[in-house]
Amino acid sequence: MKPAGVLRRVSDFSELSRGHWLRELLRQGEGPSHVQASPDGQHLLVLQKNRPPPLPQVVAFQRHGSGGAELERNWQQPQPALVGLLFLQSSGTLGSSTLALVWEHGRTEVWRFVVAVGWQLLQTLELCQGARARIVSVCSQGASLVWCEERPPLDAPSDMSKCAFRFCVCTRALEVGEQGVRLGTLRIVLHNSPEYQVLASPQHVFLVPATAGFAATSKFLLIWHPEKAKLTITAPSAGFIRSKVLRSSSESDFRKLLLGSVGLLSGLAPLDIHTSAVSNSGGLLLVSTKGAVNVVEPDGTQRHIFDLEGGPLAQESPVQLKTFGSILACVLAGVLYLVDQNSGRLIEKKILSMKEVHFLESPGEEDSIQLLTQTGIYSFSFSRPEDSSRPEPCLVEMVFEEACKYYQRRSLSSSKLTVEKLKKGGVFQAPVALAAILQHSLHQKQKPTQSLQDTYAKLLGTMSLELQSYMSLELLKTCVVCAPESEVESYCEELVEQEVSRVLHSDMDKDNLAYLNSVFASFPKAAWKATRSCLQLQQNGDGLLVARATPEVWKKVLGGPQQEEVGQNGVVPLFELICTSFLRFKPKWLPSFVELTQQYVSISWAYSSKEGPEGRVPLYKRALGVLARKNKRSEADDEMELELLLCSKRPKAVLQALHLLIRLKRWQRVVEVAEKFSKLSPLLNKEIFTTLLAEFAQHRELDPYLETLWPLCPAELTASDILTMVLQHLPRSQEDPAPFSNEGNQLTVGLLKPLLQRVVQRPRVQDEMYSDALQSPTFPPPTPPREHRIPSKAAADDAPQPPMARTSSPSALVQGEAV
């Protein structure tokens, strides 16, 4: 059951030092342009644009009490516009707050509030270095300021729209301490870029393209990670695209940043952003013009949260966003929406009678939301009914919601199907029957058994095992919640194992795959144990990896939704998830697992079947893709890459591994691989031998292994073929070599002599083909012995007599025998 919300007024402005002024300001037609509370909730900051010069345009005052001077700032029209009001981190005394006022031309005023003293101007700074620079957006990220500024070139055309890449993103450290303000050196994050709006989260900075920006660059977002000096490119329509570490100033060029992704970015749909804001968890909240609310995480993945009602949104229709704990609050057209960010479920929808509403900070009160209106400050808190702990109504509601999605996808009608229509319509009986069965089963322990219809009773008997499994799962979840810390880990492992097993035995669609991704990300160790248990992975007595999973489970592991079907939104196929677990917890088993999966592929799917995994991307390549996504590369990863290439036993992979070993100069392993895999096919044997013969001609590293290499020579190679290949790969020297050089790295005939003798002395292939025929004593072969039969006299008299008797064989005629 949804928690009920209670709206109550907590202040009528009477305790505020500027209460009467704020009330009158809010009652005016336009109202303030911006109202902001300090992070500690002790101060209110009001920005009023389009005010006459004598009246203050920026006012900061305390919410509780009136000790100390207030902050009032106004300016004349020739002065550049104010672009930022930022509360900064400070290392001052307790109860002090620091505020920065940033103007368009870069001038910044730093103010500090001290208890019993009030607001004082600490210092005036200049952020920009160029006189023509103009700041368009600014934010505070940690102890630094980040802004996007316009830098028009000296020879800029009169039409500035033709010079779209005239902006740059800069940052400077701004530390406020007891001794004053210290401004760090200017650092350019991105230059030659289009205009961006910068929004800061605690650990990242989001770069959102301006609405009037260049069309080709308004298809993606940028995320800057200050600690890693990394920029991430992401797009709501495609998810994560790529990341790049900016090691030098040349790599900070916007156009060079996009060189590796131009083809992919050109095919993306333009961004549809009506409103953007940063959540308290560090994600970027985006509201589209269609009313869809999404969140972009710092890693570039996107998740849909909720759809606002009312159809397409006009640009003049403001949408206010604010997060309070796990609750997202949206105000649109006088309607307050409260949505659970994790599940996307609408908690409360309330119509407000206030004309203008502003969200305020409420530190320490995550279960309440504070609103500033013209009649006072209101608090919206949640109160749960006494029977809210009962899971039945919520479960039944989920049944109808899932049924709505199912029937809506298959409906030809354009009208939207709702839960109320589904309950009252009477057309769809399946969700009604399932809801009745669930209510009946879940109430049995609390109330007397209720009667069910006959059809429902039969269905209940069919579903009894599923319901028992569900009840045991719910009981296990309760144990996880109520268990002490020492037992939580074991309960979580059991819960994850049940969930992974349940998903592997159901349809592996995109939703289930996304759910498994979240399980593996949240409980990696438990998911690894669950995978081993479901696939029954273990080593036999010979040390080989074996699995005893059913063919149906293997098909789920290998034949589920692939990467091109799930998109690039951070969700990876199940095979890649399992390979990631192997790399993390048991990397030595990964090549054996890939080899094992290839065996099951050959059994479960026909050769080159497009439905099977081998009809798309080979499994060893998918495992190599998982290995390539590791952040840090080590020597063990190179060895793992070799094992994955060799375990596939594919000719191209074997040759790739051979070239990798040659590049690493691991000659002993090169010879071992050549000797082992030359037996697979004559064609692969020829490729391996010619590769090693070319290396033999260039250096003397393979000389100790010649006795092993020469027997690998293919039968069809002649002495002239070998000499031709050797001459083609001899190293070129700038000077003519001396006839008798003292250097020991030159190729000599003596080194080739054993191979040439071996080739010359062995019989040719054509001779072996006709050796049997050439060794025959006579040609053509002799006549086989004849069998003489004496017919009976009666049969001889009755049988017609031919004019000439037949010969027994053609050879008989040749030899002149008569019958």
Side-chain angles (χ1 to χ4, degrees):
M1 181 174 292
K2 296 179 181 179
V6 178
L7 185 65
R8 60 186 179 88
R9 187 166 67 176
V10 296
S11 173
D12 59 354
F13 299 138
S14 59
E15 79 281 4
L16 300 180
S17 58
R18 285 270 185 166
H20 178 73
W21 172 82
L22 183 59
R23 183 188 296 109
E24 293 300 324
L25 187 62
L26 290 168
R27 286 179 179 176
Q28 294 177 0
E30 297 182 358
S33 302
H34 178 75
V35 178
Q36 182 180 352
S38 60
D40 57 2
Q42 299 299 319
H43 301 271
L44 280 181
L45 180 65
V46 179
L47 169 64
Q48 179 66 12
K49 294 182 179 180
N50 302 325
R51 300 282 288 173
L55 298 177
Q57 293 178 279
V58 175
V59 177
F61 55 91
Q62 286 183 277
R63 290 181 59 179
H64 309 286
S66 57
E70 298 175 350
L71 169 62
E72 293 186 2
R73 279 290 279 118
N74 52 31
W75 54 91
Q76 299 292 336
Q77 185 61 32
Q79 184 172 349
L82 187 70
V83 293
L85 293 168
L86 308 171
F87 283 98
L88 307 176
Q89 289 184 355
S90 62
S91 57
T93 59
L94 184 63
S96 64
S97 298
T98 307
L99 177 67
L101 280 67
V102 184
W103 271 270
E104 191 178 44
H105 62 315
R107 177 165 296 177
T108 302
E109 295 181 2
V110 181
W111 294 75
R112 168 178 282 179
F113 177 85
V114 181
V115 179
V117 178
W119 288 99
Q120 293 179 329
L121 178 63
L122 290 182
Q123 195 170 343
T124 301
L125 310 168
E126 293 291 340
L127 291 182
C128 304
Q129 293 182 344
R132 304 183 63 195
R134 183 179 68 90
I135 296 179
V136 295
S137 177
V138 63
C139 66
S140 173
Q141 204 282 323
S144 301
L145 293 182
V146 183
W147 69 91
C148 177
E149 69 176 42
E150 180 185 11
R151 291 186 175 182
L154 297 176
D155 55 347
S158 57
D159 186 6
M160 295 301 293
S161 62
K162 297 180 180 180
C163 187
F165 302 98
R166 63 184 187 275
F167 296 86
C168 66
V169 180
C170 309
T171 179
R172 296 185 82 163
L174 184 63
E175 299 180 2
V176 181
E178 291 293 340
Q179 305 300 325
V181 181
R182 189 184 72 83
L183 187 63
T185 58
L186 179 68
R187 178 189 171 194
I188 297 179
V189 179
L190 194 66
H191 60 89
N192 295 331
S193 72
E195 181 180 354
Y196 278 105
Q197 178 191 8
V198 290
L199 300 170
S201 70
Q203 302 294 334
H204 311 84
V205 177
F206 295 93
L207 278 64
V208 182
T211 54
F214 191 50
T217 59
S218 298
K219 298 181 178 181
F220 54 88
L221 307 170
L222 297 178
I223 306 174
W224 179 47
H225 311 259
E227 295 183 355
K228 302 178 181 179
K230 182 176 68 174
L231 269 175
T232 297
I233 306 175
T234 181
S237 59
F240 172 82
I241 296 177
R242 65 172 297 201
S243 292
K244 184 176 183 180
V245 178
L246 308 178
R247 298 184 177 88
S248 62
S249 58
S250 61
E251 295 182 347
S252 301
D253 187 270
F254 176 78
R255 286 167 288 195
K256 291 183 179 179
L257 177 67
L258 304 183
L259 283 180
S261 309
V262 173
L264 177 61
L265 296 176
S266 61
L268 298 179
L271 293 177
D272 181 14
I273 300 177
H274 180 278
T275 306
S276 59
V278 178
S279 67
N280 54 5
S281 61
L284 177 65
L285 298 170
L286 298 177
V287 181
S288 68
T289 56
K290 298 179 182 179
V293 182
N294 299 282
V295 59
V296 178
E297 300 295 345
D299 59 358
T301 59
Q302 180 196 352
R303 179 170 56 87
H304 178 68
I305 297 180
F306 184 69
D307 290 322
L308 297 173
E309 299 177 358
L313 305 178
Q315 289 296 333
E316 59 272 10
S317 301
V319 179
Q320 297 191 51
L321 301 173
K322 189 70 176 176
T323 55
F324 300 85
S326 63
I327 298 175
L328 169 64
C330 305
V331 174
L332 171 63
V335 180
L336 173 64
Y337 298 89
L338 300 178
V339 183
D340 187 348
Q341 292 186 83
N342 299 324
S343 64
R345 187 181 301 277
L346 178 63
I347 300 175
E348 189 84 13
K349 175 183 175 183
K350 198 170 189 66
I351 300 176
L352 305 176
S353 59
M354 300 80 173
K355 184 177 182 181
E356 189 170 359
V357 177
H358 299 273
F359 290 116
L360 297 180
E361 296 290 342
S362 54
E365 300 179 6
E366 293 187 352
D367 57 344
S368 65
I369 298 173
Q370 290 195 359
L371 308 172
L372 175 65
T373 69
Q374 61 184 4
T375 58
I377 299 177
Y378 289 80
S379 176
F380 193 93
S381 58
F382 303 102
S383 61
R384 297 182 176 271
E386 295 180 356
D387 60 344
S388 61
S389 59
R390 289 166 52 185
E392 303 89 273
C394 180
L395 180 62
V396 171
E397 186 178 359
M398 288 176 60
V399 169
F400 284 102
E401 289 179 356
E402 290 295 326
C404 278
K405 296 178 183 179
Y406 177 82
Y407 292 128
Q408 191 72 56
R409 289 196 301 264
R410 288 158 176 78
S411 176
L412 300 177
S413 175
S414 59
S415 60
K416 187 175 182 180
L417 185 63
T418 62
V419 173
E420 289 75 15
K421 293 181 181 179
L422 200 63
K423 290 180 179 179
K424 298 178 181 179
V427 178
F428 305 103
Q429 293 297 319
V432 177
L434 182 57
I437 290 173
L438 289 175
Q439 287 180 332
H440 171 80
S441 302
L442 297 174
H443 278 295
Q444 279 186 345
K445 294 184 178 180
Q446 301 174 1
K447 298 181 180 180
T449 305
Q450 302 175 3
S451 59
L452 278 176
Q453 300 181 15
D454 293 338
T455 54
Y456 292 179
K458 294 179 181 178
L459 187 58
L460 175 60
T462 306
M463 296 175 55
S464 58
L465 293 178
E466 296 292 337
L467 286 173
Q468 290 177 8
S469 176
Y470 171 77
M471 292 299 296
S472 62
L473 186 59
E474 290 297 318
L475 180 62
L476 182 58
K477 291 179 180 179
T478 305
C479 294
V480 171
V481 175
C482 303
E485 293 185 3
S486 59
E487 301 178 4
V488 167
E489 184 176 357
S490 60
Y491 279 125
C492 284
E493 290 180 358
E494 184 179 353
L495 177 60
V496 170
E497 182 177 348
Q498 289 194 21
E499 285 293 275
V500 172
S501 176
R502 179 185 64 82
V503 175
L504 286 179
H505 288 85
S506 59
D507 294 334
M508 187 58 67
D509 54 9
K510 295 180 181 179
D511 294 336
N512 280 335
L513 184 58
Y515 175 64
L516 276 183
N517 274 256
S518 63
V519 170
F520 273 73
S522 303
F523 309 97
K525 187 175 181 180
W528 160 247
K529 292 184 178 180
T531 302
R532 290 187 57 181
S533 176
C534 293
L535 297 180
Q536 300 184 40
L537 293 172
Q538 57 185 355
Q539 284 183 313
N540 60 10
D542 299 331
L544 300 177
L545 187 67
V546 294
R548 294 180 175 84
T550 61
E552 289 75 15
V553 173
W554 276 112
K555 284 194 174 184
K556 301 290 175 55
V557 171
L558 304 176
Q562 303 301 308
Q563 192 66 57
E564 62 272 10
E565 300 174 8
V566 299
Q568 298 180 351
N569 206 14
V571 178
V572 297
L574 181 56
F575 178 75
E576 277 77 357
L577 277 180
I578 297 177
C579 288
T580 304
S581 295
F582 270 101
L583 280 178
R584 183 170 182 177
F585 299 103
K586 203 72 173 179
K588 293 183 179 180
W589 284 11
L590 180 57
S592 301
F593 173 73
V594 174
E595 190 173 4
L596 195 63
T597 52
Q598 291 177 155
Q599 298 175 8
Y600 281 94
V601 165
S602 60
I603 297 174
S604 303
W605 285 279
Y607 179 74
S608 71
S609 173
K610 292 185 178 181
E611 296 182 357
E614 292 290 296
R616 297 160 179 166
V617 180
L619 294 176
Y620 81 94
K621 285 189 176 182
R622 293 170 63 180
L624 287 173
V626 175
L627 181 64
R629 286 194 286 269
K630 289 187 65 176
N631 295 329
K632 296 181 180 180
R633 188 80 176 183
S634 62
E635 295 182 0
D637 295 333
D638 294 335
E639 186 66 27
M640 179 65 65
E641 182 179 355
L642 285 171
E643 294 297 332
L644 289 175
L645 289 171
L646 295 176
C647 76
S648 68
K649 299 181 181 179
R650 290 177 174 245
K652 288 184 178 180
V654 172
L655 291 175
Q656 184 179 348
L658 190 68
H659 285 290
L660 180 58
L661 287 171
I662 292 174
R663 188 168 66 249
L664 297 175
K665 297 183 178 181
R666 298 173 56 181
W667 305 112
Q668 177 68 32
R669 187 74 190 279
V670 167
V671 175
E672 293 175 357
V673 169
E675 191 175 13
K676 177 180 180 181
F677 290 94
S678 293
K679 304 174 184 178
L680 293 182
S681 69
L683 185 59
L684 181 59
N685 179 23
K686 184 177 181 181
E687 292 289 338
I688 291 175
F689 183 79
T690 53
T691 300
L692 298 183
L693 187 62
E695 292 294 325
F696 165 76
Q698 295 175 20
H699 50 76
R700 307 274 56 81
E701 301 292 343
L702 288 173
D703 290 356
Y705 311 100
L706 295 182
E707 293 183 359
T708 307
L709 292 182
W710 294 155
L712 303 180
C713 180
E716 63 268 19
L717 285 185
T718 63
S720 60
D721 296 335
I722 293 173
L723 292 175
T724 301
M725 282 188 288
V726 169
L727 292 175
Q728 288 177 349
H729 293 89
L730 283 176
R732 297 182 180 180
S733 58
Q734 297 180 356
E735 301 178 357
D736 294 336
F740 302 99
S741 175
N742 295 328
E743 299 179 2
N745 59 351
Q746 289 190 352
L747 177 63
T748 63
V749 178
L751 294 174
L752 272 176
K753 184 178 179 181
L755 174 62
L756 296 176
Q757 287 180 343
R758 185 185 188 90
V759 172
V760 172
Q761 293 176 359
R762 69 185 177 193
R764 292 188 304 169
V765 177
Q766 291 84 355
D767 296 343
E768 293 180 358
M769 291 174 56
Y770 300 104
S771 60
D772 294 339
L774 293 175
Q775 294 176 3
S776 179
T778 58
F779 183 83
T783 306
R786 298 170 58 189
E787 295 182 1
H788 297 278
R789 295 182 179 179
I790 301 175
S792 62
K793 184 177 181 181
D797 295 339
D798 295 338
Q801 298 294 328
M804 181 180 291
R806 297 179 181 178
T807 59
S808 60
S809 66
S811 60
L813 293 178
V814 173
Q815 297 176 1
E817 294 183 1
V819 179

